[in-house]
Amino acid sequence: MIILTDRQKALLKAIVEEYISSAEPIGSEVIERKYDLGVSPATIRIEMGRLTDEGYLRQPHTSAGRIPTSLGLRLYIQELMKEKQLPVTAEVSIKERLWQERYKRERLLNEAVRALARQCDMLGLAIDEEGEVYYAGTANILDWPEFYDIDVARYVLSLFDEIPRLREIIGRAQGTDPIHILFGEDLGFENLRPTGFVFARYTTDTNEKGGVVGVLGPARMNFALVLPYVRYVRNLVAEALMRS
């Protein structure tokens, strides 16, 4: 894998952000018109070709447009994206709702997934230390173009009837980072290709294994906002369970 130049990183950032907004393959003319990269349309096309050859972009069909791969999205998240500040009103509202349920784990996690579903407009999910699954916002995913494909929507919703498969997917996250991101194209299930999972692990003082809480949605979700929401809710859940 080559080290990307600053120009290539700026181009990748523009393509990812445009794709998150539009859900459509991005052509060089869109980048040239909307982003001031200081290069000619021909140079943009050449650099898009290089990013494709290196695996950061792919061409979904015969059009000239490109979309980011999981590799491109990960580079964007790790190096190019700036996380957004959560609105104070949202933080206060979420904490009030969760804190009211801090003495009952089931009600706490139900409120946590509802908060994530509401704030991120996705499917909120949690798996507790006993392996019990909680979820909310299933209707939210049907608003995203990626789930207009009935096979994709049916497969995602079936995960909550086939809990072992959902646990197996979540279990693929490796590493010590508290927040994990899984992209459907890396998971080996065709009907999960356009999807993404963002979740954070939490532990309690009575169970080192702990559980997870997060969201399921399109792979092009607005990570700049989703990540801080998942982190904030995870921290509240962990703190509440420690005190209960």
Side-chain angles (χ1 to χ4, degrees), residues 11 14-15 18 22 24-49 57 59 61-67:
L11 175 57
I15 292 171
E18 190 66 25
S22 71
E24 297 290 339
I26 310 304
S28 58
E29 69 283 353
V30 172
I31 300 300
E32 192 274 333
R33 184 176 70 250
K34 296 180 68 172
Y35 297 86
D36 183 17
L37 299 183
V39 295
S40 69
T43 299
I44 292 173
R45 287 193 293 272
I46 290 170
E47 294 289 29
M48 287 178 72
L57 302 176
Q59 196 169 10
H61 43 72
T62 55
S63 75
R66 305 292 205 280
I67 66 174

Side-chain angles (χ1 to χ4, degrees), residues 97-109:
R97 289 170 180 265
L98 265 66
W99 225 238
Q100 291 173 2
E101 312 295 354
R102 64 187 181 277
Y103 298 115
K104 295 191 177 180
R105 182 184 61 190
E106 180 178 340
R107 290 168 62 173
L108 173 71
L109 290 174

Side-chain angles (χ1 to χ4, degrees), residues 92 120 138-139 151 156 164 169 175 233:
V92 171
C120 299
T138 51
D151 291 329
V156 166
I169 290 170
V233 170

Side-chain angles (χ1 to χ4, degrees), residues 58-126:
R58 67 182 177 89
Q59 196 169 10
H61 43 72
T62 55
S63 75
R66 305 292 205 280
I67 66 174
T69 62
S70 61
L71 182 65
L73 288 169
R74 288 190 188 282
L75 180 65
Y76 169 76
I77 293 165
Q78 292 166 1
E79 297 186 25
L80 309 176
M81 180 190 80
K82 182 178 181 181
E83 286 192 12
K84 295 180 181 177
Q85 187 79 28
L86 297 186
V88 173
T89 52
E91 290 187 353
V92 171
S93 174
I94 293 170
K95 185 168 185 177
E96 285 180 349
R97 289 170 180 265
L98 265 66
W99 225 238
Q100 291 173 2
E101 312 295 354
R102 64 187 181 277
Y103 298 115
K104 295 191 177 180
R105 182 184 61 190
E106 180 178 340
R107 290 168 62 173
L108 173 71
L109 290 174
N110 275 323
E111 187 55 51
V113 297
R114 282 196 290 266
L116 286 171
R118 183 170 56 249
Q119 297 295 340
C120 299
D121 193 27
M122 294 184 199
L123 195 158
L125 65 92

Side-chain angles (χ1 to χ4, degrees), residues 149-210:
D149 183 329
I150 189 63
D151 291 329
V152 173
R154 180 186 290 116
Y155 191 88
V156 166
L157 295 178
S158 75
L159 292 175
F160 297 91
D161 292 322
E162 301 175 22
I163 302 303
R165 181 175 296 172
L166 178 62
R167 291 187 192 130
E168 186 267 328
I169 290 170
I170 296 297
R172 295 192 187 191
Q174 302 295 322
T176 57
D177 289 344
I179 290 193
H180 299 276
I181 301 171
L182 297 175
F183 290 107
E185 70 176 69
D186 300 329
L187 296 175
F189 300 100
E190 183 59 31
N191 287 323
L192 287 183
R193 283 188 65 84
T195 70
F197 297 74
V198 174
F199 58 91
R201 299 191 183 278
Y202 65 85
T203 57
T204 70
D205 50 2
T206 59
N207 190 312
E208 290 186 4
K209 180 182 176 184

